[in-house]
Amino acid sequence: MIPWEKIDTAKIPGSDEELRLMRRGKEFSIKLGTNELMNNRLSGSEAALATLAAKQIEMVAKPVVLIGGLGMGFTLRAALTVLGGKAKIVVCELVPAVVAWARGPMAQVFGDSLDDVRVSIRETDVGEIIRARRSAFDAILLDVDNGPEGLTRKGNDALYNAGGLKAAKTALRPGGVLAVWSSGPNPAFTKRLGNAGFDVNEVNIRATGRGGGARHVIWMARKG
C-alpha cells in the first residue's frame, strides 16, 4: 500500500482551521482534521450537482451559472460538459491555495477546465457575489463546506440561513435554480428553502453516482 504524502496546507480565511492536500499515487484527498472533505476517486454526487441543475435550465440559450466552491473541480467539469458553448460559468473559491493546487499538483485532475473560455475564477467568498447581484444567474450551485451544517467555517452558515436564501433568490433570474450539495439530509434546511419561496426537490445520490459510496443529498430549489 502506497502511504499518504502531505503535499501542502492552507489556512481557511476567517477560521483557525487548516486544509491539508494529501496524495497517494494518483489519488488526491483534501482533509480537515480527521475529516476527508473530498477525494478525486469519489466525484459522482458533486458532478450530479451540475447535471441536475443544467437539466432545470436546459431551455436557456445563454445560461449564466455561479458555482460556490472549486474543490477538486468535479462540479465545474460536469457543468462544462453539459452546458452549451454559450454558457458563462463563474467559480468562487475562498481559499486561494485551492486554486493553486488545481493549477499545480492536481493539474492532471483538472485538465484544461480552468482555461475554458466559458470559465472565470474568483478568489472570494461566494456569498459576497450573491449579495451583490440581482437577477444575474440562471443557476447557483453551492458545494461549500459539508452542506448547510458548517464544518470548515462558521461564516458559511450565512449562505444557508433565511437571509442567505433570500439573497440567493434575489440573485437568480425568474425560473432560476439554487442547487445545494450536502453530505447528508437536513430537514430544517428543506423547510427553510420552502419558507423562502422556492419550489424544492430533494435528491438522494450516492457519492460515486453509480449506487456506491456514502449517501449524499442535493436540493434543487427553483425560483418562480
PDB file of all heavy atoms in Angstrom, residues 66 122 125-137 167-168 170-171:
ATOM      1  N   LEU A  66     -23.331  30.323 -11.470  1.00  0.00           N
ATOM      2  CA  LEU A  66     -22.389  30.625 -10.391  1.00  0.00           C
ATOM      3  C   LEU A  66     -22.142  29.356  -9.588  1.00  0.00           C
ATOM      4  O   LEU A  66     -23.083  28.711  -9.127  1.00  0.00           O
ATOM      5  CB  LEU A  66     -22.952  31.714  -9.482  1.00  0.00           C
ATOM      6  CG  LEU A  66     -22.136  32.070  -8.234  1.00  0.00           C
ATOM      7  CD1 LEU A  66     -20.788  32.684  -8.610  1.00  0.00           C
ATOM      8  CD2 LEU A  66     -22.922  33.024  -7.326  1.00  0.00           C
ATOM      9  N   ARG A 122     -12.966  33.335  -9.405  1.00  0.00           N
ATOM     10  CA  ARG A 122     -12.885  34.438  -8.450  1.00  0.00           C
ATOM     11  C   ARG A 122     -12.446  33.896  -7.100  1.00  0.00           C
ATOM     12  O   ARG A 122     -13.090  32.997  -6.556  1.00  0.00           O
ATOM     13  CB  ARG A 122     -14.262  35.110  -8.313  1.00  0.00           C
ATOM     14  CG  ARG A 122     -14.835  35.667  -9.612  1.00  0.00           C
ATOM     15  CD  ARG A 122     -14.143  36.965 -10.005  1.00  0.00           C
ATOM     16  NE  ARG A 122     -14.280  37.982  -8.979  1.00  0.00           N
ATOM     17  CZ  ARG A 122     -15.339  38.795  -8.853  1.00  0.00           C
ATOM     18  NH1 ARG A 122     -16.354  38.701  -9.706  1.00  0.00           N
ATOM     19  NH2 ARG A 122     -15.377  39.693  -7.895  1.00  0.00           N
ATOM     20  N   ASP A 125     -15.353  35.022  -1.382  1.00  0.00           N
ATOM     21  CA  ASP A 125     -16.497  34.372  -0.756  1.00  0.00           C
ATOM     22  C   ASP A 125     -17.684  34.439  -1.715  1.00  0.00           C
ATOM     23  O   ASP A 125     -18.079  35.514  -2.158  1.00  0.00           O
ATOM     24  CB  ASP A 125     -16.820  35.104   0.551  1.00  0.00           C
ATOM     25  CG  ASP A 125     -17.940  34.454   1.344  1.00  0.00           C
ATOM     26  OD1 ASP A 125     -18.675  33.616   0.788  1.00  0.00           O
ATOM     27  OD2 ASP A 125     -18.075  34.792   2.532  1.00  0.00           O
ATOM     28  N   VAL A 126     -18.243  33.290  -2.058  1.00  0.00           N
ATOM     29  CA  VAL A 126     -19.365  33.268  -2.992  1.00  0.00           C
ATOM     30  C   VAL A 126     -20.544  34.070  -2.454  1.00  0.00           C
ATOM     31  O   VAL A 126     -21.327  34.641  -3.228  1.00  0.00           O
ATOM     32  CB  VAL A 126     -19.789  31.812  -3.310  1.00  0.00           C
ATOM     33  CG1 VAL A 126     -20.397  31.126  -2.088  1.00  0.00           C
ATOM     34  CG2 VAL A 126     -20.758  31.776  -4.481  1.00  0.00           C
ATOM     35  N   GLY A 127     -20.660  34.158  -1.134  1.00  0.00           N
ATOM     36  CA  GLY A 127     -21.738  34.936  -0.543  1.00  0.00           C
ATOM     37  C   GLY A 127     -21.677  36.407  -0.923  1.00  0.00           C
ATOM     38  O   GLY A 127     -22.716  37.061  -1.098  1.00  0.00           O
ATOM     39  N   GLU A 128     -20.466  36.937  -1.084  1.00  0.00           N
ATOM     40  CA  GLU A 128     -20.322  38.340  -1.482  1.00  0.00           C
ATOM     41  C   GLU A 128     -20.850  38.556  -2.898  1.00  0.00           C
ATOM     42  O   GLU A 128     -21.486  39.575  -3.182  1.00  0.00           O
ATOM     43  CB  GLU A 128     -18.858  38.763  -1.388  1.00  0.00           C
ATOM     44  CG  GLU A 128     -18.311  38.781   0.038  1.00  0.00           C
ATOM     45  CD  GLU A 128     -16.891  39.301   0.097  1.00  0.00           C
ATOM     46  OE1 GLU A 128     -16.357  39.725  -0.955  1.00  0.00           O
ATOM     47  OE2 GLU A 128     -16.312  39.290   1.198  1.00  0.00           O
ATOM     48  N   ILE A 129     -20.572  37.618  -3.777  1.00  0.00           N
ATOM     49  CA  ILE A 129     -21.062  37.716  -5.150  1.00  0.00           C
ATOM     50  C   ILE A 129     -22.583  37.629  -5.179  1.00  0.00           C
ATOM     51  O   ILE A 129     -23.255  38.393  -5.872  1.00  0.00           O
ATOM     52  CB  ILE A 129     -20.450  36.611  -6.023  1.00  0.00           C
ATOM     53  CG1 ILE A 129     -18.927  36.701  -6.043  1.00  0.00           C
ATOM     54  CG2 ILE A 129     -21.018  36.665  -7.441  1.00  0.00           C
ATOM     55  CD1 ILE A 129     -18.387  37.957  -6.656  1.00  0.00           C
ATOM     56  N   ILE A 130     -23.129  36.686  -4.409  1.00  0.00           N
ATOM     57  CA  ILE A 130     -24.586  36.513  -4.374  1.00  0.00           C
ATOM     58  C   ILE A 130     -25.275  37.775  -3.873  1.00  0.00           C
ATOM     59  O   ILE A 130     -26.258  38.249  -4.461  1.00  0.00           O
ATOM     60  CB  ILE A 130     -24.958  35.304  -3.491  1.00  0.00           C
ATOM     61  CG1 ILE A 130     -24.515  33.997  -4.171  1.00  0.00           C
ATOM     62  CG2 ILE A 130     -26.462  35.277  -3.209  1.00  0.00           C
ATOM     63  CD1 ILE A 130     -24.668  32.772  -3.300  1.00  0.00           C
ATOM     64  N   ARG A 131     -24.756  38.340  -2.793  1.00  0.00           N
ATOM     65  CA  ARG A 131     -25.395  39.518  -2.188  1.00  0.00           C
ATOM     66  C   ARG A 131     -25.275  40.758  -3.069  1.00  0.00           C
ATOM     67  O   ARG A 131     -26.079  41.692  -2.935  1.00  0.00           O
ATOM     68  CB  ARG A 131     -24.801  39.781  -0.808  1.00  0.00           C
ATOM     69  CG  ARG A 131     -25.173  38.743   0.229  1.00  0.00           C
ATOM     70  CD  ARG A 131     -24.734  39.165   1.621  1.00  0.00           C
ATOM     71  NE  ARG A 131     -23.276  39.180   1.749  1.00  0.00           N
ATOM     72  CZ  ARG A 131     -22.544  38.138   2.124  1.00  0.00           C
ATOM     73  NH1 ARG A 131     -23.129  36.967   2.387  1.00  0.00           N
ATOM     74  NH2 ARG A 131     -21.239  38.232   2.235  1.00  0.00           N
ATOM     75  N   ALA A 132     -24.296  40.778  -3.963  1.00  0.00           N
ATOM     76  CA  ALA A 132     -24.064  41.964  -4.793  1.00  0.00           C
ATOM     77  C   ALA A 132     -24.834  41.936  -6.107  1.00  0.00           C
ATOM     78  O   ALA A 132     -24.818  42.926  -6.855  1.00  0.00           O
ATOM     79  CB  ALA A 132     -22.570  42.109  -5.081  1.00  0.00           C
ATOM     80  N   ARG A 133     -25.506  40.828  -6.407  1.00  0.00           N
ATOM     81  CA  ARG A 133     -26.153  40.686  -7.714  1.00  0.00           C
ATOM     82  C   ARG A 133     -27.670  40.587  -7.586  1.00  0.00           C
ATOM     83  O   ARG A 133     -28.193  40.091  -6.590  1.00  0.00           O
ATOM     84  CB  ARG A 133     -25.630  39.439  -8.429  1.00  0.00           C
ATOM     85  CG  ARG A 133     -24.117  39.400  -8.588  1.00  0.00           C
ATOM     86  CD  ARG A 133     -23.585  40.482  -9.514  1.00  0.00           C
ATOM     87  NE  ARG A 133     -22.132  40.444  -9.600  1.00  0.00           N
ATOM     88  CZ  ARG A 133     -21.462  39.722 -10.486  1.00  0.00           C
ATOM     89  NH1 ARG A 133     -22.134  38.980 -11.367  1.00  0.00           N
ATOM     90  NH2 ARG A 133     -20.158  39.730 -10.501  1.00  0.00           N
ATOM     91  N   ARG A 134     -28.352  41.007  -8.614  1.00  0.00           N
ATOM     92  CA  ARG A 134     -29.815  40.910  -8.690  1.00  0.00           C
ATOM     93  C   ARG A 134     -30.196  40.370 -10.065  1.00  0.00           C
ATOM     94  O   ARG A 134     -29.772  40.920 -11.080  1.00  0.00           O
ATOM     95  CB  ARG A 134     -30.460  42.274  -8.448  1.00  0.00           C
ATOM     96  CG  ARG A 134     -31.981  42.296  -8.536  1.00  0.00           C
ATOM     97  CD  ARG A 134     -32.522  43.690  -8.292  1.00  0.00           C
ATOM     98  NE  ARG A 134     -32.315  44.102  -6.915  1.00  0.00           N
ATOM     99  CZ  ARG A 134     -33.172  43.853  -5.920  1.00  0.00           C
ATOM    100  NH1 ARG A 134     -34.305  43.188  -6.172  1.00  0.00           N
ATOM    101  NH2 ARG A 134     -32.914  44.257  -4.699  1.00  0.00           N
ATOM    102  N   SER A 135     -30.947  39.282 -10.088  1.00  0.00           N
ATOM    103  CA  SER A 135     -31.384  38.658 -11.343  1.00  0.00           C
ATOM    104  C   SER A 135     -30.215  38.458 -12.310  1.00  0.00           C
ATOM    105  O   SER A 135     -30.307  38.766 -13.501  1.00  0.00           O
ATOM    106  CB  SER A 135     -32.482  39.505 -12.004  1.00  0.00           C
ATOM    107  OG  SER A 135     -33.611  39.589 -11.164  1.00  0.00           O
ATOM    108  N   ALA A 136     -29.112  37.924 -11.791  1.00  0.00           N
ATOM    109  CA  ALA A 136     -27.886  37.792 -12.590  1.00  0.00           C
ATOM    110  C   ALA A 136     -27.619  36.372 -13.065  1.00  0.00           C
ATOM    111  O   ALA A 136     -26.932  36.184 -14.072  1.00  0.00           O
ATOM    112  CB  ALA A 136     -26.689  38.285 -11.778  1.00  0.00           C
ATOM    113  N   PHE A 137     -28.153  35.357 -12.357  1.00  0.00           N
ATOM    114  CA  PHE A 137     -27.774  33.978 -12.630  1.00  0.00           C
ATOM    115  C   PHE A 137     -28.983  33.095 -12.938  1.00  0.00           C
ATOM    116  O   PHE A 137     -30.055  33.254 -12.357  1.00  0.00           O
ATOM    117  CB  PHE A 137     -27.016  33.390 -11.428  1.00  0.00           C
ATOM    118  CG  PHE A 137     -25.806  34.177 -11.029  1.00  0.00           C
ATOM    119  CD1 PHE A 137     -25.817  34.950  -9.870  1.00  0.00           C
ATOM    120  CD2 PHE A 137     -24.664  34.156 -11.807  1.00  0.00           C
ATOM    121  CE1 PHE A 137     -24.707  35.693  -9.496  1.00  0.00           C
ATOM    122  CE2 PHE A 137     -23.544  34.888 -11.444  1.00  0.00           C
ATOM    123  CZ  PHE A 137     -23.566  35.665 -10.295  1.00  0.00           C
ATOM    124  N   ALA A 167     -31.101  36.219  -0.315  1.00  0.00           N
ATOM    125  CA  ALA A 167     -30.129  36.828  -1.221  1.00  0.00           C
ATOM    126  C   ALA A 167     -29.957  35.981  -2.479  1.00  0.00           C
ATOM    127  O   ALA A 167     -29.857  36.508  -3.592  1.00  0.00           O
ATOM    128  CB  ALA A 167     -28.792  37.001  -0.500  1.00  0.00           C
ATOM    129  N   ALA A 168     -29.912  34.658  -2.314  1.00  0.00           N
ATOM    130  CA  ALA A 168     -29.767  33.763  -3.464  1.00  0.00           C
ATOM    131  C   ALA A 168     -30.962  33.888  -4.402  1.00  0.00           C
ATOM    132  O   ALA A 168     -30.799  33.915  -5.631  1.00  0.00           O
ATOM    133  CB  ALA A 168     -29.602  32.326  -2.994  1.00  0.00           C
ATOM    134  N   THR A 170     -32.849  36.460  -4.781  1.00  0.00           N
ATOM    135  CA  THR A 170     -32.745  37.760  -5.447  1.00  0.00           C
ATOM    136  C   THR A 170     -31.725  37.716  -6.588  1.00  0.00           C
ATOM    137  O   THR A 170     -31.921  38.334  -7.636  1.00  0.00           O
ATOM    138  CB  THR A 170     -32.343  38.850  -4.438  1.00  0.00           C
ATOM    139  OG1 THR A 170     -33.347  38.954  -3.423  1.00  0.00           O
ATOM    140  CG2 THR A 170     -32.172  40.207  -5.109  1.00  0.00           C
ATOM    141  N   ALA A 171     -30.649  36.964  -6.390  1.00  0.00           N
ATOM    142  CA  ALA A 171     -29.582  36.887  -7.397  1.00  0.00           C
ATOM    143  C   ALA A 171     -29.968  36.033  -8.596  1.00  0.00           C
ATOM    144  O   ALA A 171     -29.333  36.120  -9.654  1.00  0.00           O
ATOM    145  CB  ALA A 171     -28.309  36.346  -6.762  1.00  0.00           C
TER     146      ALA A 171
END
